[in-house]
Amino acid sequence: MSRRTSSFTSSPPSPSPSPSASFPLFSPAHRDGRLLKLVSAVFYAVSSFLIIVINKTVLTNYRFPSYTFLGIGQMAFTIIILYLAKSFKAVSFQDFDKSIPVKMFPLPLLYVGNHVTGLGSTKKLSLPMFTVLRKFTILLTMIMETKILRKTFSPQLVCSVLAIVFGALIAASSDLAFDAEGYTFVLLNDVFTAASGVYTKKKLGIEGLGKYGLLFYNAFIIIIPTILASAYTGDLEKAIMFKGWLSLSFIVYFMMSCAMGFVLMYSIVLCSHYNSALTTTVIGAIKNVAVAYIGMFIGGDYVFSWPNFVGLNICISGGLVYSYLTFHGGSSAQTATQEESRLRVHVVEENTEEKSQFSDILTLQSVKPPI
């Protein structure tokens, strides 16, 4: 009886995985992603700093009477720029239809609330106290991301946020230039900013809108109601009758504020797109470090006290720790590495099992059948 033999061609040894393949955290794609995150974050920080300084100049130095009208100017600038860009095919987003209000809700309401309360608090408070109380946005953003986006945070991040809030409370407790209306405005601004950031991140995934659609329809939907509200309260008349319109320098600053309103909103959407709502808020805290200390030396409206100074430094220290944990991705990177290790162990176990099965098959087929 002829002897049947089975031949097997051994597969070439698989090449060892490259470091970038074994460790996605060091891959070129990951490095490019981190660069985009960093650039968008820096862009937002610079934009946020500049608009605070410019709005402070318009509302305080020139004593412009209507922060609502300034917000209307920023909305109008956003609509005009994006409409022209869409007309020249520079950007693209969905044309208006009846589905747009449903897709956008509740962002337009949060947008106008953020604008009005932000400009009002800038006018009523000194720059350092404004930036200190704005730290509560971080805590609110963390809570809203937990409830709305179902995110979880490490104990280290939670402790750093609590340190920021604790420092803000100490600093605010000794504010000798206390203004109840200003404090109300800035705390409402914290709520609107946190909600706007979280919902912006959520709405970015909706098909047809994108970054530019969010910006355009936010301004487009609410500009008319805001104008009507401004006319009803008398702010519109005060703004029109303002004598500073005869000053070229005021007009330049007003137009700069309108342009920076668009730039700021774009930078927020861009930073939220590449990062998270919480990371965007952290960038605001980093920017506030510069604003708070600069406000001590320029502006002339900072009242020094030791509790305020100590609380401000506690708040800044917590913000820096929080920023370090966020940008270095300590907890998230560790989790990703552990998950990757478990996956590698699982793959090795599967490969070992397959090799064992393959060896058993070879053994069985190599045995001579009985004659």
PDB file of all heavy atoms in Angstrom, residues 238-261:
ATOM      1  N   LYS A 238     -29.306 103.255  23.953  1.00  0.00           N
ATOM      2  CA  LYS A 238     -28.093 103.759  24.606  1.00  0.00           C
ATOM      3  C   LYS A 238     -26.862 103.548  23.736  1.00  0.00           C
ATOM      4  O   LYS A 238     -25.992 104.421  23.665  1.00  0.00           O
ATOM      5  CB  LYS A 238     -27.898 103.044  25.950  1.00  0.00           C
ATOM      6  CG  LYS A 238     -28.938 103.371  27.000  1.00  0.00           C
ATOM      7  CD  LYS A 238     -28.671 102.590  28.278  1.00  0.00           C
ATOM      8  CE  LYS A 238     -29.722 102.846  29.332  1.00  0.00           C
ATOM      9  NZ  LYS A 238     -29.470 102.038  30.566  1.00  0.00           N
ATOM     10  N   ALA A 239     -26.791 102.401  23.086  1.00  0.00           N
ATOM     11  CA  ALA A 239     -25.631 102.117  22.242  1.00  0.00           C
ATOM     12  C   ALA A 239     -25.591 103.034  21.031  1.00  0.00           C
ATOM     13  O   ALA A 239     -24.518 103.523  20.638  1.00  0.00           O
ATOM     14  CB  ALA A 239     -25.669 100.659  21.794  1.00  0.00           C
ATOM     15  N   ILE A 240     -26.762 103.295  20.426  1.00  0.00           N
ATOM     16  CA  ILE A 240     -26.805 104.151  19.242  1.00  0.00           C
ATOM     17  C   ILE A 240     -26.455 105.596  19.603  1.00  0.00           C
ATOM     18  O   ILE A 240     -25.765 106.291  18.840  1.00  0.00           O
ATOM     19  CB  ILE A 240     -28.193 104.071  18.581  1.00  0.00           C
ATOM     20  CG1 ILE A 240     -28.437 102.659  18.027  1.00  0.00           C
ATOM     21  CG2 ILE A 240     -28.326 105.104  17.460  1.00  0.00           C
ATOM     22  CD1 ILE A 240     -29.823 102.444  17.475  1.00  0.00           C
ATOM     23  N   MET A 241     -26.896 106.049  20.762  1.00  0.00           N
ATOM     24  CA  MET A 241     -26.659 107.435  21.180  1.00  0.00           C
ATOM     25  C   MET A 241     -25.299 107.625  21.833  1.00  0.00           C
ATOM     26  O   MET A 241     -24.972 108.750  22.244  1.00  0.00           O
ATOM     27  CB  MET A 241     -27.757 107.864  22.155  1.00  0.00           C
ATOM     28  CG  MET A 241     -29.164 107.811  21.590  1.00  0.00           C
ATOM     29  SD  MET A 241     -29.376 108.854  20.121  1.00  0.00           S
ATOM     30  CE  MET A 241     -29.118 110.486  20.837  1.00  0.00           C
ATOM     31  N   PHE A 242     -24.500 106.602  21.925  1.00  0.00           N
ATOM     32  CA  PHE A 242     -23.195 106.698  22.569  1.00  0.00           C
ATOM     33  C   PHE A 242     -22.299 107.688  21.818  1.00  0.00           C
ATOM     34  O   PHE A 242     -22.146 107.614  20.587  1.00  0.00           O
ATOM     35  CB  PHE A 242     -22.536 105.321  22.607  1.00  0.00           C
ATOM     36  CG  PHE A 242     -21.191 105.280  23.261  1.00  0.00           C
ATOM     37  CD1 PHE A 242     -21.028 105.684  24.578  1.00  0.00           C
ATOM     38  CD2 PHE A 242     -20.082 104.853  22.547  1.00  0.00           C
ATOM     39  CE1 PHE A 242     -19.794 105.640  25.182  1.00  0.00           C
ATOM     40  CE2 PHE A 242     -18.836 104.803  23.147  1.00  0.00           C
ATOM     41  CZ  PHE A 242     -18.689 105.200  24.474  1.00  0.00           C
ATOM     42  N   LYS A 243     -21.702 108.610  22.545  1.00  0.00           N
ATOM     43  CA  LYS A 243     -20.887 109.660  21.919  1.00  0.00           C
ATOM     44  C   LYS A 243     -19.543 109.147  21.412  1.00  0.00           C
ATOM     45  O   LYS A 243     -18.893 109.800  20.606  1.00  0.00           O
ATOM     46  CB  LYS A 243     -20.662 110.791  22.925  1.00  0.00           C
ATOM     47  CG  LYS A 243     -21.945 111.499  23.343  1.00  0.00           C
ATOM     48  CD  LYS A 243     -21.661 112.615  24.328  1.00  0.00           C
ATOM     49  CE  LYS A 243     -22.957 113.323  24.729  1.00  0.00           C
ATOM     50  NZ  LYS A 243     -22.698 114.429  25.716  1.00  0.00           N
ATOM     51  N   GLY A 244     -19.136 107.965  21.904  1.00  0.00           N
ATOM     52  CA  GLY A 244     -17.841 107.446  21.497  1.00  0.00           C
ATOM     53  C   GLY A 244     -17.760 107.044  20.038  1.00  0.00           C
ATOM     54  O   GLY A 244     -16.664 106.793  19.525  1.00  0.00           O
ATOM     55  N   TRP A 245     -18.912 106.975  19.335  1.00  0.00           N
ATOM     56  CA  TRP A 245     -18.879 106.620  17.918  1.00  0.00           C
ATOM     57  C   TRP A 245     -18.120 107.655  17.092  1.00  0.00           C
ATOM     58  O   TRP A 245     -17.730 107.378  15.951  1.00  0.00           O
ATOM     59  CB  TRP A 245     -20.305 106.482  17.369  1.00  0.00           C
ATOM     60  CG  TRP A 245     -21.062 105.318  17.918  1.00  0.00           C
ATOM     61  CD1 TRP A 245     -22.160 105.356  18.714  1.00  0.00           C
ATOM     62  CD2 TRP A 245     -20.772 103.928  17.722  1.00  0.00           C
ATOM     63  NE1 TRP A 245     -22.588 104.085  19.039  1.00  0.00           N
ATOM     64  CE2 TRP A 245     -21.745 103.185  18.434  1.00  0.00           C
ATOM     65  CE3 TRP A 245     -19.787 103.233  17.019  1.00  0.00           C
ATOM     66  CZ2 TRP A 245     -21.771 101.793  18.470  1.00  0.00           C
ATOM     67  CZ3 TRP A 245     -19.807 101.854  17.045  1.00  0.00           C
ATOM     68  CH2 TRP A 245     -20.780 101.145  17.753  1.00  0.00           C
ATOM     69  N   LEU A 246     -17.916 108.838  17.652  1.00  0.00           N
ATOM     70  CA  LEU A 246     -17.158 109.874  16.949  1.00  0.00           C
ATOM     71  C   LEU A 246     -15.654 109.682  17.099  1.00  0.00           C
ATOM     72  O   LEU A 246     -14.880 110.384  16.454  1.00  0.00           O
ATOM     73  CB  LEU A 246     -17.560 111.259  17.475  1.00  0.00           C
ATOM     74  CG  LEU A 246     -19.052 111.628  17.331  1.00  0.00           C
ATOM     75  CD1 LEU A 246     -19.331 112.983  17.972  1.00  0.00           C
ATOM     76  CD2 LEU A 246     -19.446 111.646  15.856  1.00  0.00           C
ATOM     77  N   SER A 247     -15.265 108.743  17.965  1.00  0.00           N
ATOM     78  CA  SER A 247     -13.841 108.486  18.206  1.00  0.00           C
ATOM     79  C   SER A 247     -13.365 107.325  17.336  1.00  0.00           C
ATOM     80  O   SER A 247     -13.935 106.227  17.389  1.00  0.00           O
ATOM     81  CB  SER A 247     -13.615 108.168  19.687  1.00  0.00           C
ATOM     82  OG  SER A 247     -12.300 107.717  19.905  1.00  0.00           O
ATOM     83  N   LEU A 248     -12.339 107.586  16.545  1.00  0.00           N
ATOM     84  CA  LEU A 248     -11.809 106.544  15.670  1.00  0.00           C
ATOM     85  C   LEU A 248     -11.213 105.396  16.477  1.00  0.00           C
ATOM     86  O   LEU A 248     -11.364 104.223  16.106  1.00  0.00           O
ATOM     87  CB  LEU A 248     -10.746 107.131  14.740  1.00  0.00           C
ATOM     88  CG  LEU A 248     -10.080 106.139  13.772  1.00  0.00           C
ATOM     89  CD1 LEU A 248     -11.112 105.524  12.838  1.00  0.00           C
ATOM     90  CD2 LEU A 248      -8.969 106.833  12.978  1.00  0.00           C
ATOM     91  N   SER A 249     -10.551 105.725  17.582  1.00  0.00           N
ATOM     92  CA  SER A 249      -9.936 104.667  18.393  1.00  0.00           C
ATOM     93  C   SER A 249     -10.992 103.736  18.977  1.00  0.00           C
ATOM     94  O   SER A 249     -10.801 102.519  19.035  1.00  0.00           O
ATOM     95  CB  SER A 249      -9.097 105.286  19.517  1.00  0.00           C
ATOM     96  OG  SER A 249      -9.910 106.095  20.372  1.00  0.00           O
ATOM     97  N   PHE A 250     -12.146 104.299  19.405  1.00  0.00           N
ATOM     98  CA  PHE A 250     -13.218 103.455  19.926  1.00  0.00           C
ATOM     99  C   PHE A 250     -13.762 102.543  18.834  1.00  0.00           C
ATOM    100  O   PHE A 250     -14.015 101.353  19.076  1.00  0.00           O
ATOM    101  CB  PHE A 250     -14.354 104.301  20.496  1.00  0.00           C
ATOM    102  CG  PHE A 250     -15.583 103.501  20.809  1.00  0.00           C
ATOM    103  CD1 PHE A 250     -15.643 102.691  21.929  1.00  0.00           C
ATOM    104  CD2 PHE A 250     -16.677 103.530  19.942  1.00  0.00           C
ATOM    105  CE1 PHE A 250     -16.766 101.926  22.199  1.00  0.00           C
ATOM    106  CE2 PHE A 250     -17.804 102.775  20.213  1.00  0.00           C
ATOM    107  CZ  PHE A 250     -17.856 101.968  21.343  1.00  0.00           C
ATOM    108  N   ILE A 251     -13.961 103.074  17.633  1.00  0.00           N
ATOM    109  CA  ILE A 251     -14.477 102.261  16.528  1.00  0.00           C
ATOM    110  C   ILE A 251     -13.530 101.106  16.224  1.00  0.00           C
ATOM    111  O   ILE A 251     -13.959  99.979  15.965  1.00  0.00           O
ATOM    112  CB  ILE A 251     -14.698 103.139  15.273  1.00  0.00           C
ATOM    113  CG1 ILE A 251     -15.808 104.166  15.541  1.00  0.00           C
ATOM    114  CG2 ILE A 251     -15.054 102.282  14.060  1.00  0.00           C
ATOM    115  CD1 ILE A 251     -16.028 105.142  14.401  1.00  0.00           C
ATOM    116  N   VAL A 252     -12.223 101.384  16.286  1.00  0.00           N
ATOM    117  CA  VAL A 252     -11.220 100.344  16.034  1.00  0.00           C
ATOM    118  C   VAL A 252     -11.341  99.243  17.087  1.00  0.00           C
ATOM    119  O   VAL A 252     -11.373  98.043  16.757  1.00  0.00           O
ATOM    120  CB  VAL A 252      -9.807 100.926  16.014  1.00  0.00           C
ATOM    121  CG1 VAL A 252      -8.762  99.811  15.988  1.00  0.00           C
ATOM    122  CG2 VAL A 252      -9.629 101.835  14.801  1.00  0.00           C
ATOM    123  N   TYR A 253     -11.441  99.626  18.358  1.00  0.00           N
ATOM    124  CA  TYR A 253     -11.570  98.627  19.422  1.00  0.00           C
ATOM    125  C   TYR A 253     -12.892  97.871  19.320  1.00  0.00           C
ATOM    126  O   TYR A 253     -12.952  96.664  19.583  1.00  0.00           O
ATOM    127  CB  TYR A 253     -11.450  99.296  20.795  1.00  0.00           C
ATOM    128  CG  TYR A 253     -10.033  99.403  21.289  1.00  0.00           C
ATOM    129  CD1 TYR A 253      -9.332 100.599  21.225  1.00  0.00           C
ATOM    130  CD2 TYR A 253      -9.378  98.293  21.825  1.00  0.00           C
ATOM    131  CE1 TYR A 253      -8.022 100.700  21.677  1.00  0.00           C
ATOM    132  CE2 TYR A 253      -8.078  98.376  22.282  1.00  0.00           C
ATOM    133  CZ  TYR A 253      -7.402  99.573  22.199  1.00  0.00           C
ATOM    134  OH  TYR A 253      -6.102  99.659  22.641  1.00  0.00           O
ATOM    135  N   PHE A 254     -13.968  98.566  18.945  1.00  0.00           N
ATOM    136  CA  PHE A 254     -15.265  97.904  18.802  1.00  0.00           C
ATOM    137  C   PHE A 254     -15.219  96.855  17.697  1.00  0.00           C
ATOM    138  O   PHE A 254     -15.714  95.734  17.865  1.00  0.00           O
ATOM    139  CB  PHE A 254     -16.350  98.939  18.506  1.00  0.00           C
ATOM    140  CG  PHE A 254     -17.740  98.359  18.452  1.00  0.00           C
ATOM    141  CD1 PHE A 254     -18.491  98.213  19.605  1.00  0.00           C
ATOM    142  CD2 PHE A 254     -18.299  97.955  17.242  1.00  0.00           C
ATOM    143  CE1 PHE A 254     -19.766  97.673  19.564  1.00  0.00           C
ATOM    144  CE2 PHE A 254     -19.572  97.406  17.193  1.00  0.00           C
ATOM    145  CZ  PHE A 254     -20.308  97.267  18.356  1.00  0.00           C
ATOM    146  N   MET A 255     -14.621  97.206  16.552  1.00  0.00           N
ATOM    147  CA  MET A 255     -14.498  96.254  15.457  1.00  0.00           C
ATOM    148  C   MET A 255     -13.566  95.097  15.823  1.00  0.00           C
ATOM    149  O   MET A 255     -13.804  93.946  15.424  1.00  0.00           O
ATOM    150  CB  MET A 255     -13.982  96.968  14.206  1.00  0.00           C
ATOM    151  CG  MET A 255     -14.951  97.997  13.635  1.00  0.00           C
ATOM    152  SD  MET A 255     -16.593  97.313  13.271  1.00  0.00           S
ATOM    153  CE  MET A 255     -16.174  96.091  12.021  1.00  0.00           C
ATOM    154  N   MET A 256     -12.527  95.389  16.589  1.00  0.00           N
ATOM    155  CA  MET A 256     -11.642  94.321  17.058  1.00  0.00           C
ATOM    156  C   MET A 256     -12.402  93.358  17.966  1.00  0.00           C
ATOM    157  O   MET A 256     -12.208  92.133  17.898  1.00  0.00           O
ATOM    158  CB  MET A 256     -10.441  94.915  17.802  1.00  0.00           C
ATOM    159  CG  MET A 256      -9.421  95.604  16.906  1.00  0.00           C
ATOM    160  SD  MET A 256      -8.135  96.457  17.860  1.00  0.00           S
ATOM    161  CE  MET A 256      -7.410  95.081  18.751  1.00  0.00           C
ATOM    162  N   SER A 257     -13.277  93.901  18.821  1.00  0.00           N
ATOM    163  CA  SER A 257     -14.074  93.043  19.693  1.00  0.00           C
ATOM    164  C   SER A 257     -15.024  92.164  18.885  1.00  0.00           C
ATOM    165  O   SER A 257     -15.190  90.972  19.185  1.00  0.00           O
ATOM    166  CB  SER A 257     -14.876  93.906  20.678  1.00  0.00           C
ATOM    167  OG  SER A 257     -15.721  93.110  21.473  1.00  0.00           O
ATOM    168  N   CYS A 258     -15.639  92.726  17.845  1.00  0.00           N
ATOM    169  CA  CYS A 258     -16.541  91.943  16.987  1.00  0.00           C
ATOM    170  C   CYS A 258     -15.781  90.816  16.293  1.00  0.00           C
ATOM    171  O   CYS A 258     -16.261  89.674  16.230  1.00  0.00           O
ATOM    172  CB  CYS A 258     -17.197  92.851  15.951  1.00  0.00           C
ATOM    173  SG  CYS A 258     -18.351  94.050  16.655  1.00  0.00           S
ATOM    174  N   ALA A 259     -14.593  91.153  15.772  1.00  0.00           N
ATOM    175  CA  ALA A 259     -13.794  90.131  15.093  1.00  0.00           C
ATOM    176  C   ALA A 259     -13.328  89.057  16.067  1.00  0.00           C
ATOM    177  O   ALA A 259     -13.367  87.860  15.764  1.00  0.00           O
ATOM    178  CB  ALA A 259     -12.591  90.789  14.405  1.00  0.00           C
ATOM    179  N   MET A 260     -12.905  89.469  17.258  1.00  0.00           N
ATOM    180  CA  MET A 260     -12.421  88.508  18.234  1.00  0.00           C
ATOM    181  C   MET A 260     -13.550  87.647  18.788  1.00  0.00           C
ATOM    182  O   MET A 260     -13.317  86.525  19.239  1.00  0.00           O
ATOM    183  CB  MET A 260     -11.714  89.225  19.383  1.00  0.00           C
ATOM    184  CG  MET A 260     -10.330  89.748  19.026  1.00  0.00           C
ATOM    185  SD  MET A 260      -9.240  88.470  18.363  1.00  0.00           S
ATOM    186  CE  MET A 260      -9.251  87.271  19.688  1.00  0.00           C
ATOM    187  N   GLY A 261     -14.793  88.158  18.758  1.00  0.00           N
ATOM    188  CA  GLY A 261     -15.922  87.326  19.154  1.00  0.00           C
ATOM    189  C   GLY A 261     -16.054  86.116  18.252  1.00  0.00           C
ATOM    190  O   GLY A 261     -16.284  84.990  18.714  1.00  0.00           O
TER     191      GLY A 261
END
